[in-house]
Amino acid sequence: MNQDDSGHTPTSAGPAIILVEPQLGENIGMVARAMANFGLSNLRLVSPRDGWPNEKAIATASRADHVIRATQVFDKLEHAIGDLSFLYATTARPRDGFKPVHGPVEAGRELRGRERIGQRTGILFGREKFGLSNEEVALADVIVTFPVDPGFSSLNIAQAVLLMSYEWMKAGLDRETDTNFRGPEMEPASKEHLNSFMGHLERALDDRGYFRPPEKKPRMLDGLRSVFTRPAFAEAEIKVLRGVLSSLDYFSPKEPRGAGYPDRKAEADRAARSEDADE
């Protein structure tokens, strides 16, 4: 495979994306970008209003150069789909006829399955203003429609291509919940580490007068254990928390932090007043 100017190596072409009489070069460029995001590169235009190539399309493609350079232009829709053996037509409104209607998830899986057996497939998208005509939809094998709000069902053409491109990519993953990268794999902390941390935490809180009144300490400790055991902390996270406690231990004040609590301060003030009165 050839690389584009950015050093990107295009993935397999996948289904052809066919735009019927697109009007704005900017929309064509955004379509190319959406395709490139999800591994598609076969873009076909049927009678683009402003001709081709189009500088505005190139500018908005955001370096999807391999898609732009390979774009094919046709005078008639029949010519654009002539080499395909299976075709979806996107539409947001009900159509007369007997064609099956699929959602985007089902369509993505269908397209992947047909690619595996060597079939050439395509997805047909209509004009920005009014989509596809009934005659154009009739050339497709199946209709695909999106689960949008019926009261506002019109999608920008690039948005529609993005949704279908996403479903195409997702259907090719080993698991549809996969992503290109994950967070670090972290082993859950052992009970030994957790218990050691809880002992450290208890000592630090004791030094600062946290457990008040003293008879509630067991219940308060139970609450803390619930907080720190429910999320299944990883060992690395426990080490971070231990570092926090160690810092508190190192800079611990001479007197328990609890000595400054309002009720203790009130007791100290009363004692001071009593001594003044005795004098």
Side-chain angles (χ1 to χ4, degrees), residues 86-98:
F86 183 84
L87 183 65
Y88 269 106
T90 60
T91 182
R93 63 182 188 273
R95 303 282 184 157
D96 295 332
F98 302 96

Side-chain angles (χ1 to χ4, degrees), residues 200-201 204-205 207-208 241-253 257:
H200 192 170
L201 179 62
L205 294 177
D207 289 345
R208 288 156 179 79
L241 294 172
R242 291 295 294 268
V244 172
L245 293 179
S246 294
S247 178
L248 293 176
D249 289 341
Y250 186 78
F251 293 103
S252 178
R257 186 72 56 86

Side-chain angles (χ1 to χ4, degrees), residues 9-10 40 63 68 74 84 106 127 131 157 160 182 196 256 267:
T9 300
L40 298 179
R63 300 179 68 190
I68 293 294
F74 300 85
L84 305 179
E106 188 178 2
R127 303 155 187 83
I157 189 171
R182 296 275 184 181
S196 177
E267 290 174 5

Side-chain angles (χ1 to χ4, degrees), residues 105-223:
V105 175
E106 188 178 2
R109 294 171 180 171
E110 172 89 11
L111 290 167
R112 280 288 180 180
R114 290 182 177 274
E115 184 198 43
R116 292 187 189 104
I117 60 175
Q119 292 187 7
R120 291 187 175 183
T121 62
I123 312 171
L124 194 58
F125 296 85
R127 303 155 187 83
E128 288 93 330
K129 288 187 176 181
F130 58 88
L132 296 168
S133 68
N134 288 333
E135 292 76 15
E136 290 160 347
V137 171
L139 296 174
D141 298 281
V142 181
I143 288 172
V144 59
T145 190
F146 303 102
V148 293
D149 185 340
F152 197 77
S153 59
S154 177
L155 286 174
N156 173 277
I157 189 171
Q159 293 174 325
V161 171
L162 180 72
L163 288 173
M164 285 305 305
S165 301
Y166 167 73
E167 292 299 340
W168 156 261
M169 174 63 81
K170 188 177 71 173
L173 301 173
D174 291 336
R175 296 180 304 171
E176 290 192 352
T177 56
D178 282 347
T179 58
N180 285 337
F181 59 90
R182 296 275 184 181
E185 294 290 334
M186 300 177 69
E187 288 292 326
S190 67
K191 297 302 180 187
E192 179 182 6
H193 280 96
L194 261 177
N195 291 335
S196 177
F197 166 74
M198 287 304 303
H200 192 170
L201 179 62
E202 179 182 353
R203 292 191 298 273
L205 294 177
D206 255 334
D207 289 345
R208 288 156 179 79
Y210 176 78
F211 299 109
R212 302 180 50 258
E215 59 269 19
K216 288 189 177 181
K217 178 178 176 179
R219 184 176 176 184
M220 296 171 76
L221 278 173
D222 286 343

Side-chain angles (χ1 to χ4, degrees), residues 11-24:
T11 53
S12 61
I17 300 298
I18 304 129
L19 309 184
V20 178
E21 297 181 1
Q23 296 175 318
L24 299 176

